[in-house]
Amino acid sequence: MNPVLVEVLRGESLESSHRGSIAVLDADGAVLARFGDIDRPVFPRSAVKLLQALPLVESGAAERLGLTDDELALACASHNGEQAHVRTATGMLAKAGLDLSALECGTHWPSLDTATRALAAAGREPSALHNNCSGKHSGFLCLACVLSRGVDLRQYVKGYVGPDHPVMREVTAALQAVTGFDPTSAPHGTDGCSIPTYGIALRQLALAFARVGSGVGLREGHARAAQRLRRAIANAPFMVAGSGRFDTRVMQQLGERVCCKVGAEGVFCAALPDRGLGVAIKIDDGNNARAAEVAMAAVIESCLRLSGLDAETLHSLSHPRLRNWNGIGVGQLRPTSALVNFRL
Amino acid sequence: MNPVLVEVLRGESLESSHRGSIAVLDADGAVLARFGDIDRPVFPRSAVKLLQALPLVESGAAERLGLTDDELALACASHNGEQAHVRTATGMLAKAGLDLSALECGTHWPSLDTATRALAAAGREPSALHNNCSGKHSGFLCLACVLSRGVDLRQYVKGYVGPDHPVMREVTAALQAVTGFDPTSAPHGTDGCSIPTYGIALRQLALAFARVGSGVGLREGHARAAQRLRRAIANAPFMVAGSGRFDTRVMQQLGERVCCKVGAEGVFCAALPDRGLGVAIKIDDGNNARAAEVAMAAVIESCLRLSGLDAETLHSLSHPRLRNWNGIGVGQLRPTSALVNFRL
């Protein structure tokens, strides 16, 4: 039974609560903090996009195509579908000699409501470029430029989302190398954007992010690729998520001290390079928008020594006020006291 | 510790789960089924809109203003903000001699994504009429026509959302009479649409809905009003929610055999008049869109003897398939076996 991590108050009363588990590890595998079960496999979903982008850099594809910080950050993104995200994904595909017809992530309206309404107001429909995963998929297609070795690229990339396609085999191999999970025995499923997702324990995910933040325990190519991707994200945090989003706000404020990424169904991973720590969170009920974010903000507060505007920003994210349609304060989200009171 | 009621599968593996509590009572207060704690107060939010509309009918206001089935159903609704909902709310206000400027529920974009995009595509902005609670508030304003007794109505209704306004005192008194809760000692908060919400135990909420479905235990005016509102909802289930919504689909299929209403934060109430039962559900983590709906569908299946298309419809709602952006099946929601296997 995992503990309650986040509470929802209406007035002064508890209205709802979120249980879950958290692992905080260093790159040697030492568990420095744990809440609940950290050994059950969970589907990390989009929280491991940075790990899935390692082959893009290690293979030399990113360098060969001259991918910018914006583009590398977008390869690790669950973006809002704002104009800048769509434009950047379009540019990545163009560098690969492809266009949006190669994307196999599917189409949805932009995640950001104002971006959706702007599109509708212009009389337009969304494309696969608006899919929150279009940057990751554009990164896969850039990786394919190197892997295809002269084969016609448009033919080569067909079905790249399948687990046995060479592109996806590279991606899964990187995930395996960094987390230590075993794809032959792990639970498996299909992600929202149609690529495979595998069950991996929080202990392994936190270890992977400690490694990504420090380079310790990674082969040299992965260590260099991780450093390059972290720098890109720190330089372009808007690309990883977008307007108003947690990941963007945290990294705009804290820079390279945090490299965090939300995933669907209440998963959240982060590297805290200054402290040599990796963090992995899973909310039992799958809520990210409030529960996983509040828990991650609380863990960051507990692990980093923040002051001034840094501390204020993180406190506003760990204790958000809830307002109704008239702007009246009706309640609050807050981490439970166990989560607030641990210090590393 | 409340039990797991609903599971989320990705592939064949458990990805997320939802805990909660359920009370099924008859109108004499006998508990016929229970899961978890049914005595802790929960904020019922929009799940009790039918109870909050009792004064509108009992007072004679509905008859005096000639409110139709559509309008009475909308007074009990959390609607999608579709054109028919907006038009119906506008008509209710006109019958009261008011317009949308009297509404104090606040403004939000329509709950239904296609309605929001249609509004944006037309270059328009939403008004308080699009608020999912605009029908309930229009009902309050119609009630005010009777209560104001000749006082200038526009003056009289100012601040009607406040707990001490005569309109809201009538509404709270009805809630008290039917559920038996004590507003002086209950936890209290402010709802999304700015009216007060009070903590009421699931036991009391289920009892109230058993009473509403049977008339047993209600004073005559409330019994008649409840019957009138139930008939209106059965005749106009689109008005209670809208396109694609659970409440609308269930009542379009089952007619007067079910009168159900979702509330925010994972609350769900229903009357099952054929069986003389009332049902109240609260999902601990506040998830309605999937958890409370799946649980309610499972309870309805367990309590009613369904066959043919009735059974198929409810099964599709208790065991929804999850598809990704490419339409590929990626998983399923399902009630836990305890919830599937109980029979009343």
Side-chain angles (χ1 to χ4, degrees), chain B residues 197-216:
Chain B
T197 182
Y198 299 95
I200 307 179
L202 291 187
R203 179 196 296 272
Q204 292 170 303
L205 292 168
L207 174 62
F209 276 82
R211 288 170 165 171
V212 156
S214 64
V216 175

Side-chain angles (χ1 to χ4, degrees), chain A residues 5 43 52 61 68 93 129 148-150 157 159 178 203 222 240 249 283 289 308 317 320-321 340 343:
Chain A
L5 299 175
F43 291 119
Q52 293 168 321
T68 63
L93 291 169
L129 292 165
S148 58
R149 296 175 199 279
V157 298
V178 179
R203 179 196 295 273
H222 278 166
V240 170
R249 289 177 65 191
I283 302 298
L317 294 169
R321 297 272 162 190
V340 172
R343 279 284 172 275

Side-chain angles (χ1 to χ4, degrees), chain A residues 298-341:
Chain A
V299 170
I300 293 170
E301 285 182 297
S302 292
C303 292
L304 302 184
R305 313 265 177 271
L306 300 176
S307 59
L309 192 54
D310 294 344
E312 274 173 45
T313 300
L314 267 289
H315 192 77
S316 73
L317 294 169
S318 66
H319 293 75
R321 297 272 162 190
L322 303 176
R323 300 192 172 277
N324 74 4
W325 301 115
N326 284 319
I328 299 169
V330 293
Q332 189 184 6
L333 307 178
R334 68 179 183 199
T336 47
S337 54
L339 201 47
V340 172
N341 293 331

Side-chain angles (χ1 to χ4, degrees), chain A residues 1 8 10-19 40-41 43 45 104-109 116-118 120-121 123 131-132 187-194 197 264-265 282-287 290 324-326 328-330, chain B residues 1 8 10-19 40-41 43 45 104-109 116-118 120-121 123 131-132 187-194 197 264-265 282-287 290 324-326 328-330:
Chain A
M1 175 70 56
V8 183
R10 181 159 298 265
E12 304 297 313
S13 306
L14 183 69
E15 180 162 34
S16 299
S17 57
H18 299 277
R19 293 176 180 275
R40 183 177 83 83
F43 291 119
R45 311 290 302 272
E104 297 183 0
C105 50
T107 295
H108 63 72
W109 286 85
T116 280
R117 298 200 299 265
N131 185 309
N132 75 89
H188 55 91
T190 303
D191 213 324
C193 65
S194 297
T197 182
E265 291 292 334
K282 162 73 182 173
I283 302 298
D284 290 353
D285 60 69
N287 182 298
R290 61 186 192 187
N324 74 4
W325 301 115
N326 284 319
I328 299 169
V330 293
Chain B
M1 176 73 54
V8 183
R10 181 159 297 265
E12 305 297 313
S13 306
L14 182 70
E15 181 162 33
S16 299
S17 57
H18 298 277
R19 295 177 179 275
R40 183 178 81 84
F43 291 117
R45 312 291 302 274
E104 298 183 358
C105 50
T107 295
H108 63 73
W109 286 85
T116 281
R117 297 200 298 263
N131 185 310
N132 75 90
H188 56 91
T190 303
D191 213 325
C193 66
S194 297
T197 182
E265 290 293 332
K282 163 73 182 175
I283 303 297
D284 290 353
D285 60 68
N287 182 298
R290 61 185 192 188
N324 74 4
W325 301 114
N326 285 317
I328 299 169
V330 294

Side-chain angles (χ1 to χ4, degrees), chain B residues 47-64:
Chain B
V48 291
K49 279 176 174 168
L50 188 152
L51 313 186
Q52 293 167 320
L54 291 170
L56 171 65
V57 179
E58 192 192 31
S59 68
E63 199 175 358
R64 188 167 120 189

Side-chain angles (χ1 to χ4, degrees), chain B residues 47-344:
Chain B
V48 291
K49 279 176 174 168
L50 188 152
L51 313 186
Q52 293 167 320
L54 291 170
L56 171 65
V57 179
E58 192 192 31
S59 68
E63 199 175 358
R64 188 167 120 189
L65 299 178
L67 297 189
T68 63
D69 282 353
D70 276 1
E71 291 166 338
L72 288 174
L74 197 74
C76 305
S78 297
H79 65 71
N80 272 345
E82 297 176 76
Q83 287 186 4
H85 301 125
V86 169
R87 198 169 48 234
T88 305
T90 306
M92 293 172 75
L93 292 170
K95 286 181 177 179
L98 296 168
D99 59 31
L100 74 89
S101 66
L103 290 172
E104 298 183 358
C105 50
T107 295
H108 63 73
W109 286 85
S111 305
L112 184 70
D113 54 357
T114 53
T116 281
R117 297 200 298 263
L119 207 60
R124 294 177 53 206
E125 293 280 323
S127 75
L129 292 165
H130 295 90
N131 185 310
N132 75 90
C133 297
S134 70
K136 176 180 73 174
H137 282 249
S138 298
F140 293 157
L141 293 167
C142 288
L143 168 62
C145 287
V146 167
L147 299 180
S148 58
R149 298 173 198 280
V151 177
D152 176 71
L153 189 60
R154 292 199 163 264
Q155 282 305 314
Y156 181 82
V157 298
K158 278 199 178 12
Y160 71 88
V161 296
D164 296 324
H165 190 282
V167 167
M168 211 46 55
R169 273 203 236 123
E170 285 294 310
V171 169
T172 301
L175 202 54
Q176 180 175 14
V178 179
T179 65
F181 97 104
D182 176 4
T184 62
S185 63
H188 56 91
T190 303
D191 213 325
C193 66
S194 297
I195 71 165
T197 182
Y198 299 95
I200 307 179
L202 291 187
R203 179 196 296 272
Q204 292 170 303
L205 292 168
L207 174 62
F209 276 82
R211 288 170 165 171
V212 156
S214 64
V216 175
L218 297 183
R219 69 181 186 230
E220 200 184 324
H222 277 166
R224 255 191 265 140
Q227 193 177 36
R228 178 75 192 92
L229 290 168
R230 285 196 291 111
R231 200 175 66 231
I233 291 167
N235 288 339
F238 180 85
M239 284 297 152
V240 170
S243 300
R245 290 273 300 278
F246 182 97
D247 286 339
T248 296
R249 290 178 64 190
V250 166
M251 294 190 284
Q252 279 175 339
Q253 185 63 39
L254 298 181
E256 292 205 46
R257 283 176 289 168
V258 174
C259 183
C260 60
K261 182 69 189 69
V262 72
E265 290 293 332
V267 178
F268 219 138
C269 292
L272 306 176
D274 281 1
R275 303 294 317 277
L277 298 174
V279 181
I281 296 173
K282 163 73 182 175
I283 303 297
D284 290 353
D285 60 68
N287 182 298
N288 11 5
R290 61 185 192 188
E293 290 181 0
V294 164
M296 179 56 85
V299 170
I300 293 171
E301 285 182 298
S302 291
C303 292
L304 301 185
R305 312 267 178 269
L306 300 176
S307 60
L309 192 55
D310 293 345
E312 273 172 45
T313 301
L314 268 289
H315 192 77
S316 73
L317 293 169
S318 67
H319 292 75
R321 297 271 164 191
L322 303 176
R323 299 192 172 279
N324 74 4
W325 301 114
N326 285 317
I328 299 169
V330 294
Q332 189 183 6
L333 307 178
R334 69 179 182 200
T336 47
S337 53
L339 200 47
V340 173
N341 293 331
F342 93 97
R343 279 284 171 278
L344 282 185

Side-chain angles (χ1 to χ4, degrees), chain A residues 25-240:
Chain A
L25 270 77
D26 69 19
D28 296 323
V31 177
L32 300 176
R34 68 187 294 165
F35 295 86
D37 181 358
I38 64 170
D39 290 307
R40 183 177 83 83
V42 306
F43 291 119
R45 311 290 302 272
S46 291
V48 291
K49 280 176 172 166
L50 187 153
L51 312 187
Q52 293 168 321
L54 291 171
L56 171 65
V57 179
E58 192 191 31
S59 67
E63 199 174 1
R64 191 168 119 188
L65 298 177
L67 297 189
T68 63
D69 282 352
D70 276 1
E71 291 166 338
L72 288 173
L74 198 73
C76 304
S78 296
H79 65 71
N80 272 345
E82 297 176 75
Q83 287 187 5
H85 302 125
V86 169
R87 198 169 47 233
T88 304
T90 305
M92 292 172 75
L93 291 169
K95 286 182 176 178
L98 296 168
D99 59 31
L100 74 89
S101 65
L103 290 173
E104 297 183 0
C105 50
T107 295
H108 63 72
W109 286 85
S111 305
L112 183 70
D113 55 357
T114 52
T116 280
R117 298 200 299 265
L119 207 59
R124 293 176 55 205
E125 294 280 322
S127 74
L129 292 165
H130 295 90
N131 185 309
N132 75 89
C133 297
S134 70
K136 176 180 71 174
H137 282 248
S138 298
F140 293 157
L141 292 166
C142 288
L143 168 61
C145 286
V146 166
L147 298 180
S148 58
R149 296 175 199 279
V151 176
D152 176 71
L153 188 61
R154 291 200 162 267
Q155 282 306 313
Y156 181 82
V157 298
K158 276 198 178 16
Y160 71 87
V161 295
D164 296 324
H165 190 283
V167 166
M168 211 46 57
R169 273 202 235 124
E170 285 294 311
V171 170
T172 302
L175 203 52
Q176 181 176 13
V178 179
T179 67
F181 98 105
D182 176 4
T184 63
S185 63
H188 55 91
T190 303
D191 213 324
C193 65
S194 297
I195 72 165
T197 182
Y198 299 95
I200 307 179
L202 291 187
R203 179 196 295 273
Q204 293 171 303
L205 292 169
L207 173 62
F209 276 80
R211 288 169 165 173
V212 156
S214 64
V216 175
L218 297 182
R219 69 181 186 228
E220 199 185 323
H222 278 166
R224 255 190 265 139
Q227 192 177 37
R228 177 75 190 90
L229 290 168
R230 286 197 290 111
R231 200 176 66 229
I233 291 168
N235 287 340
F238 180 85
M239 283 296 152
V240 170

